[in-house]
Amino acid sequence: MASAGGNSLVLPAVLHIRRSDADFTAALRERFRVLDFFASGEPLPAFLAAAAAAPDPPRAAVVVGGGSVRVDASFLDAVPSLRCVLTTGAGFDHIDLAECARRGVAVANSGEVFSTDVADYAVGLLLDVLWRVSAAERYVRRGSWPAQGDYPLGSKVGGRRVGIIGLGNIGSRIAKRLEAFGCIIHYNSRKAKGSVSYKYFANVQDLAANSDVLVVACALNKATRHIVNKDVLEAQPNTPPKYKSLRDSTRSLHTEQNK
Amino acid sequence: MASAGGNSLVLPAVLHIRRSDADFTAALRERFRVLDFFASGEPLPAFLAAAAAAPDPPRAAVVVGGGSVRVDASFLDAVPSLRCVLTTGAGFDHIDLAECARRGVAVANSGEVFSTDVADYAVGLLLDVLWRVSAAERYVRRGSWPAQGDYPLGSKVGGRRVGIIGLGNIGSRIAKRLEAFGCIIHYNSRKAKGSVSYKYFANVQDLAANSDVLVVACALNKATRHIVNKDVLEAQPNTPPKYKSLRDSTRSLHTEQNK
């Protein structure tokens, strides 16, 4: 798989299991001999076997979340030279941390790099839903304003009780921003945090029953998979349907679908 | 114009020059004999003349901004019984305050009732533009995501210099919210305010030259009409075009168009 000529043979090999933009790929190729899974067109087992059989097998893998490839025991078995797995997102749900630890494979994620942007975007989506920004924009763009009159009013943000599931790097930033809008912050996490004055709910169903809006900002793992289920959504009996909104700022496996 | 029967003849008359929703109209009709301009289908001079000629001419008018009807000298001449003009918005730009004062006609507006919602919405629009929320939504809805790949990234909000023109009820609320996002607040107003630590710019062009985003939150009057002109927009030479955005949270006459 190594190309002949140039200095590519002296660069360390890295597994690249991510659809990346041109800038990222170019930066990676300057420093590594990049073994690109998606460009290879091969099935994963064949790709990994070829990488492992090279004279200088890869000691690192760059992977992305989203469920397409899992770094699990069979992945690690296929490339025993791996000493390090780097994921370009915050979540570890596609990486078997226990298996990595057992084999001494280091795992790194993006840390807090995206936390602020994710929090900003989550607040942007919340304002969009309550104030119907993009829905009203579609109404205007399809010519309905002159024909059918003003778009219906949106919903106030201030005074709204926002229940945040997971008050970590992202959740605490969302809380800080929504406080400035006059929202009342409630939260659920593994345990109450002494550093904040927000009201703590030990279980998600109670949180939902006392919140107008739910924000999911926790890591996705076995304990939080389907953390927002039918019971949680039905726990908001006193909230008019139009105020019910579900914001999953991370990924949809937090939410139990189709039930 | 008064209908016969019922208690409508004992209710005071009010000019209603506003396209209102059913709830507002019903509440008004409970307390007043409502003379509805838009329902009348008459030209304004004929409508006002008929109202003034009634046995109990209106002493109050409920009007709305937006430029369709101006309460000026000829309006006040037509209905000399008027003692009070109420506008349902915050702006007075459609009411000749000097003429009203000269005739002893009281004028009332909505005060701060809408300030919080306008500020919330302005921040929602700002997030929408920087993070391309509704643009990305259109991209997904038209099926481009699977066909053309990820939508281009948005722009960070934190660290962005936001120049607010008019730090009154609305502008100060916008500033408070954007501070929570880590924005750097600059402002222009008639004079610097001792109560805030934001950087003051005595003229709008200097403000624009030192801001990535401009927010217009001042009253519309002779001094602020076309306050954002070509010179102001061109004063941002070091800002990449994609970061230039113009948010007019009140009405477009602040902005000089088509130049």
Side-chain angles (χ1 to χ4, degrees), chain B residues 2-40:
Chain B
S3 66
N7 65 353
S8 65
L9 284 171
V10 302
L11 293 176
V14 66
L15 295 177
H16 187 224
I17 305 177
R18 182 177 186 275
R19 298 183 200 278
S20 302
D21 61 43
D23 289 350
F24 183 94
T25 304
L28 206 62
R29 286 185 187 281
E30 276 181 22
R31 303 176 186 198
F32 301 98
R33 181 165 63 86
V34 176
L35 309 178
D36 192 322
F37 169 57
F38 289 109
S40 76

Tab-separated table of all heavy atoms in Angstrom, chain B residues 2-40:
chain	number	residue	atom	x	y	z
B	2	ALA	N	-72.550	54.292	13.825
B	2	ALA	CA	-72.900	53.535	15.027
B	2	ALA	C	-74.019	52.562	14.700
B	2	ALA	O	-74.959	52.900	13.997
B	2	ALA	CB	-73.344	54.476	16.127
B	3	SER	N	-73.902	51.345	15.211
B	3	SER	CA	-74.970	50.394	14.974
B	3	SER	C	-76.095	50.672	15.967
B	3	SER	O	-75.856	51.119	17.088
B	3	SER	CB	-74.444	48.969	15.126
B	3	SER	OG	-74.070	48.754	16.468
B	4	ALA	N	-77.307	50.390	15.570
B	4	ALA	CA	-78.446	50.609	16.466
B	4	ALA	C	-78.592	49.420	17.415
B	4	ALA	O	-78.148	48.315	17.116
B	4	ALA	CB	-79.733	50.752	15.639
B	5	GLY	N	-79.215	49.620	18.568
B	5	GLY	CA	-79.497	48.507	19.479
B	5	GLY	C	-78.311	48.146	20.339
B	5	GLY	O	-77.196	48.629	20.164
B	6	GLY	N	-78.548	47.288	21.325
B	6	GLY	CA	-77.488	46.853	22.227
B	6	GLY	C	-76.977	48.032	23.035
B	6	GLY	O	-77.644	49.061	23.172
B	7	ASN	N	-75.758	47.854	23.591
B	7	ASN	CA	-75.204	48.961	24.359
B	7	ASN	C	-74.143	49.709	23.575
B	7	ASN	O	-73.367	50.459	24.129
B	7	ASN	CB	-74.630	48.465	25.700
B	7	ASN	CG	-73.438	47.535	25.468
B	7	ASN	OD1	-73.139	47.172	24.329
B	7	ASN	ND2	-72.772	47.191	26.561
B	8	SER	N	-74.119	49.451	22.228
B	8	SER	CA	-73.035	50.024	21.450
B	8	SER	C	-73.077	51.548	21.456
B	8	SER	O	-72.060	52.200	21.325
B	8	SER	CB	-73.064	49.497	20.012
B	8	SER	OG	-74.243	49.942	19.373
B	9	LEU	N	-74.252	52.134	21.647
B	9	LEU	CA	-74.323	53.604	21.596
B	9	LEU	C	-73.764	54.258	22.853
B	9	LEU	O	-73.365	55.401	22.823
B	9	LEU	CB	-75.776	54.043	21.382
B	9	LEU	CG	-76.252	53.859	19.940
B	9	LEU	CD1	-77.757	54.097	19.854
B	9	LEU	CD2	-75.518	54.810	19.003
B	10	VAL	N	-73.723	53.501	23.943
B	10	VAL	CA	-73.197	54.106	25.165
B	10	VAL	C	-71.688	53.882	25.312
B	10	VAL	O	-71.058	54.478	26.170
B	10	VAL	CB	-73.918	53.579	26.433
B	10	VAL	CG1	-75.394	53.862	26.319
B	10	VAL	CG2	-73.664	52.104	26.634
B	11	LEU	N	-71.130	53.009	24.465
B	11	LEU	CA	-69.681	52.808	24.532
B	11	LEU	C	-68.966	53.971	23.850
B	11	LEU	O	-69.439	54.479	22.837
B	11	LEU	CB	-69.296	51.501	23.833
B	11	LEU	CG	-69.773	50.193	24.484
B	11	LEU	CD1	-69.395	49.007	23.601
B	11	LEU	CD2	-69.169	50.042	25.870
B	12	PRO	N	-67.842	54.381	24.382
B	12	PRO	CA	-67.097	55.454	23.708
B	12	PRO	C	-66.541	54.967	22.374
B	12	PRO	O	-66.169	53.805	22.234
B	12	PRO	CB	-65.979	55.783	24.700
B	12	PRO	CG	-65.854	54.601	25.587
B	12	PRO	CD	-67.208	53.950	25.641
B	13	ALA	N	-66.490	55.897	21.418
B	13	ALA	CA	-65.980	55.537	20.092
B	13	ALA	C	-64.456	55.570	20.079
B	13	ALA	O	-63.835	56.379	20.762
B	13	ALA	CB	-66.534	56.503	19.053
B	14	VAL	N	-63.879	54.656	19.292
B	14	VAL	CA	-62.425	54.654	19.131
B	14	VAL	C	-62.094	54.358	17.665
B	14	VAL	O	-62.730	53.508	17.032
B	14	VAL	CB	-61.772	53.632	20.093
B	14	VAL	CG1	-62.156	52.205	19.741
B	14	VAL	CG2	-60.266	53.779	20.131
B	15	LEU	N	-61.145	55.108	17.139
B	15	LEU	CA	-60.661	54.821	15.786
B	15	LEU	C	-59.710	53.633	15.856
B	15	LEU	O	-58.780	53.628	16.671
B	15	LEU	CB	-59.900	56.021	15.208
B	15	LEU	CG	-60.671	57.307	14.949
B	15	LEU	CD1	-59.711	58.383	14.448
B	15	LEU	CD2	-61.775	57.069	13.924
B	16	HIS	N	-59.921	52.666	15.009
B	16	HIS	CA	-59.071	51.471	14.999
B	16	HIS	C	-58.405	51.370	13.634
B	16	HIS	O	-59.044	51.020	12.644
B	16	HIS	CB	-59.934	50.231	15.277
B	16	HIS	CG	-59.144	48.969	15.454
B	16	HIS	ND1	-59.500	47.792	14.870
B	16	HIS	CD2	-58.007	48.716	16.141
B	16	HIS	CE1	-58.628	46.853	15.203
B	16	HIS	NE2	-57.712	47.388	15.975
B	17	ILE	N	-57.133	51.699	13.611
B	17	ILE	CA	-56.435	51.787	12.326
B	17	ILE	C	-55.288	50.788	12.363
B	17	ILE	O	-54.113	51.126	12.437
B	17	ILE	CB	-55.954	53.231	12.081
B	17	ILE	CG1	-57.164	54.167	12.193
B	17	ILE	CG2	-55.291	53.374	10.723
B	17	ILE	CD1	-56.852	55.619	12.052
B	18	ARG	N	-55.660	49.539	12.338
B	18	ARG	CA	-54.705	48.470	12.599
B	18	ARG	C	-55.357	47.169	12.171
B	18	ARG	O	-56.532	46.934	12.453
B	18	ARG	CB	-54.444	48.427	14.111
B	18	ARG	CG	-53.435	47.414	14.568
B	18	ARG	CD	-53.234	47.548	16.071
B	18	ARG	NE	-52.171	46.689	16.544
B	18	ARG	CZ	-52.315	45.407	16.870
B	18	ARG	NH1	-53.489	44.833	16.779
B	18	ARG	NH2	-51.288	44.699	17.282
B	19	ARG	N	-54.609	46.321	11.475
B	19	ARG	CA	-55.120	44.982	11.155
B	19	ARG	C	-54.843	44.108	12.371
B	19	ARG	O	-53.696	43.766	12.638
B	19	ARG	CB	-54.417	44.404	9.925
B	19	ARG	CG	-54.633	45.213	8.656
B	19	ARG	CD	-53.973	44.531	7.465
B	19	ARG	NE	-53.761	45.474	6.372
B	19	ARG	CZ	-54.679	45.837	5.485
B	19	ARG	NH1	-55.895	45.329	5.570
B	19	ARG	NH2	-54.404	46.704	4.537
B	20	SER	N	-55.885	43.785	13.128
B	20	SER	CA	-55.696	43.089	14.404
B	20	SER	C	-56.195	41.655	14.336
B	20	SER	O	-57.043	41.315	13.514
B	20	SER	CB	-56.455	43.831	15.507
B	20	SER	OG	-55.999	45.158	15.601
B	21	ASP	N	-55.676	40.837	15.233
B	21	ASP	CA	-56.186	39.477	15.295
B	21	ASP	C	-57.529	39.474	16.027
B	21	ASP	O	-57.955	40.464	16.611
B	21	ASP	CB	-55.179	38.532	15.958
B	21	ASP	CG	-54.862	38.927	17.382
B	21	ASP	OD1	-55.784	39.286	18.137
B	21	ASP	OD2	-53.675	38.884	17.750
B	22	ALA	N	-58.192	38.331	15.978
B	22	ALA	CA	-59.563	38.237	16.486
B	22	ALA	C	-59.641	38.535	17.986
B	22	ALA	O	-60.571	39.211	18.446
B	22	ALA	CB	-60.127	36.845	16.198
B	23	ASP	N	-58.669	38.058	18.760
B	23	ASP	CA	-58.679	38.271	20.210
B	23	ASP	C	-58.609	39.754	20.548
B	23	ASP	O	-59.343	40.257	21.397
B	23	ASP	CB	-57.498	37.541	20.878
B	23	ASP	CG	-57.694	36.035	20.876
B	23	ASP	OD1	-58.806	35.590	20.544
B	23	ASP	OD2	-56.734	35.327	21.199
B	24	PHE	N	-57.675	40.445	19.892
B	24	PHE	CA	-57.501	41.868	20.165
B	24	PHE	C	-58.771	42.633	19.797
B	24	PHE	O	-59.272	43.456	20.572
B	24	PHE	CB	-56.300	42.395	19.365
B	24	PHE	CG	-55.970	43.843	19.627
B	24	PHE	CD1	-55.019	44.178	20.589
B	24	PHE	CD2	-56.595	44.863	18.924
B	24	PHE	CE1	-54.698	45.507	20.846
B	24	PHE	CE2	-56.289	46.195	19.174
B	24	PHE	CZ	-55.340	46.514	20.142
B	25	THR	N	-59.310	42.333	18.623
B	25	THR	CA	-60.510	43.036	18.157
B	25	THR	C	-61.681	42.778	19.097
B	25	THR	O	-62.432	43.703	19.448
B	25	THR	CB	-60.858	42.574	16.728
B	25	THR	OG1	-59.705	42.794	15.902
B	25	THR	CG2	-62.024	43.346	16.167
B	26	ALA	N	-61.841	41.541	19.534
B	26	ALA	CA	-62.956	41.196	20.426
B	26	ALA	C	-62.824	41.951	21.756
B	26	ALA	O	-63.811	42.481	22.279
B	26	ALA	CB	-62.985	39.684	20.673
B	27	ALA	N	-61.601	42.010	22.293
B	27	ALA	CA	-61.381	42.712	23.562
B	27	ALA	C	-61.695	44.192	23.424
B	27	ALA	O	-62.275	44.822	24.323
B	27	ALA	CB	-59.935	42.512	24.026
B	28	LEU	N	-61.327	44.745	22.272
B	28	LEU	CA	-61.578	46.166	22.025
B	28	LEU	C	-63.083	46.432	21.905
B	28	LEU	O	-63.608	47.414	22.454
B	28	LEU	CB	-60.844	46.576	20.738
B	28	LEU	CG	-60.433	48.034	20.572
B	28	LEU	CD1	-59.450	48.442	21.664
B	28	LEU	CD2	-59.806	48.237	19.196
B	29	ARG	N	-63.801	45.529	21.232
B	29	ARG	CA	-65.237	45.728	21.000
B	29	ARG	C	-66.048	45.586	22.284
B	29	ARG	O	-67.171	46.075	22.365
B	29	ARG	CB	-65.753	44.729	19.940
B	29	ARG	CG	-65.306	45.086	18.543
B	29	ARG	CD	-65.917	44.184	17.483
B	29	ARG	NE	-65.333	44.452	16.186
B	29	ARG	CZ	-65.682	45.480	15.410
B	29	ARG	NH1	-66.639	46.296	15.784
B	29	ARG	NH2	-65.082	45.675	14.243
B	30	GLU	N	-65.501	44.902	23.255
B	30	GLU	CA	-66.196	44.805	24.545
B	30	GLU	C	-66.296	46.155	25.236
B	30	GLU	O	-67.208	46.397	26.021
B	30	GLU	CB	-65.457	43.834	25.475
B	30	GLU	CG	-65.823	42.390	25.246
B	30	GLU	CD	-65.083	41.479	26.219
B	30	GLU	OE1	-64.643	41.980	27.284
B	30	GLU	OE2	-64.928	40.296	25.887
B	31	ARG	N	-65.315	46.997	24.979
B	31	ARG	CA	-65.225	48.252	25.738
B	31	ARG	C	-65.478	49.508	24.918
B	31	ARG	O	-65.666	50.576	25.470
B	31	ARG	CB	-63.834	48.364	26.367
B	31	ARG	CG	-63.542	47.178	27.256
B	31	ARG	CD	-62.144	47.220	27.793
B	31	ARG	NE	-61.864	45.996	28.520
B	31	ARG	CZ	-60.880	45.855	29.389
B	31	ARG	NH1	-60.089	46.879	29.644
B	31	ARG	NH2	-60.687	44.721	30.005
B	32	PHE	N	-65.427	49.364	23.590
B	32	PHE	CA	-65.536	50.545	22.740
B	32	PHE	C	-66.444	50.291	21.546
B	32	PHE	O	-66.640	49.152	21.136
B	32	PHE	CB	-64.148	50.974	22.221
B	32	PHE	CG	-63.161	51.302	23.306
B	32	PHE	CD1	-62.226	50.368	23.711
B	32	PHE	CD2	-63.193	52.541	23.945
B	32	PHE	CE1	-61.317	50.662	24.721
B	32	PHE	CE2	-62.291	52.844	24.960
B	32	PHE	CZ	-61.352	51.899	25.351
B	33	ARG	N	-66.975	51.381	21.011
B	33	ARG	CA	-67.603	51.321	19.693
B	33	ARG	C	-66.439	51.495	18.718
B	33	ARG	O	-65.894	52.599	18.579
B	33	ARG	CB	-68.637	52.439	19.547
B	33	ARG	CG	-69.367	52.434	18.204
B	33	ARG	CD	-70.614	53.321	18.241
B	33	ARG	NE	-70.279	54.722	18.473
B	33	ARG	CZ	-69.940	55.588	17.495
B	33	ARG	NH1	-69.898	55.196	16.241
B	33	ARG	NH2	-69.651	56.851	17.790
B	34	VAL	N	-66.051	50.394	18.082
B	34	VAL	CA	-64.834	50.380	17.277
B	34	VAL	C	-65.127	50.830	15.851
B	34	VAL	O	-65.968	50.230	15.166
B	34	VAL	CB	-64.203	48.970	17.275
B	34	VAL	CG1	-62.984	48.933	16.368
B	34	VAL	CG2	-63.838	48.554	18.699
B	35	LEU	N	-64.465	51.893	15.428
B	35	LEU	CA	-64.571	52.349	14.042
B	35	LEU	C	-63.358	51.795	13.308
B	35	LEU	O	-62.242	52.297	13.474
B	35	LEU	CB	-64.610	53.877	13.995
B	35	LEU	CG	-65.654	54.518	14.941
B	35	LEU	CD1	-65.583	56.047	14.867
B	35	LEU	CD2	-67.057	54.031	14.582
B	36	ASP	N	-63.575	50.741	12.535
B	36	ASP	CA	-62.469	49.970	11.962
B	36	ASP	C	-62.155	50.450	10.548
B	36	ASP	O	-62.902	50.203	9.615
B	36	ASP	CB	-62.855	48.482	11.966
B	36	ASP	CG	-61.679	47.584	11.655
B	36	ASP	OD1	-60.845	47.953	10.803
B	36	ASP	OD2	-61.585	46.511	12.278
B	37	PHE	N	-60.999	51.112	10.409
B	37	PHE	CA	-60.626	51.674	9.114
B	37	PHE	C	-60.469	50.600	8.045
B	37	PHE	O	-61.042	50.691	6.956
B	37	PHE	CB	-59.324	52.490	9.251
B	37	PHE	CG	-58.717	52.881	7.939
B	37	PHE	CD1	-59.443	53.611	6.997
B	37	PHE	CD2	-57.413	52.515	7.620
B	37	PHE	CE1	-58.882	53.976	5.774
B	37	PHE	CE2	-56.849	52.866	6.399
B	37	PHE	CZ	-57.581	53.605	5.474
B	38	PHE	N	-59.710	49.551	8.338
B	38	PHE	CA	-59.432	48.561	7.293
B	38	PHE	C	-60.683	47.763	6.931
B	38	PHE	O	-60.860	47.346	5.791
B	38	PHE	CB	-58.269	47.651	7.705
B	38	PHE	CG	-56.942	48.362	7.701
B	38	PHE	CD1	-56.283	48.670	8.883
B	38	PHE	CD2	-56.370	48.761	6.497
B	38	PHE	CE1	-55.065	49.342	8.865
B	38	PHE	CE2	-55.144	49.442	6.469
B	38	PHE	CZ	-54.492	49.726	7.664
B	39	ALA	N	-61.599	47.568	7.911
B	39	ALA	CA	-62.850	46.871	7.596
B	39	ALA	C	-63.792	47.772	6.807
B	39	ALA	O	-64.663	47.287	6.073
B	39	ALA	CB	-63.523	46.402	8.883
B	40	SER	N	-63.643	49.098	6.942
B	40	SER	CA	-64.575	50.026	6.300
B	40	SER	C	-64.445	50.032	4.782
B	40	SER	O	-65.406	50.287	4.062
B	40	SER	CB	-64.352	51.448	6.832
B	40	SER	OG	-63.178	52.019	6.263
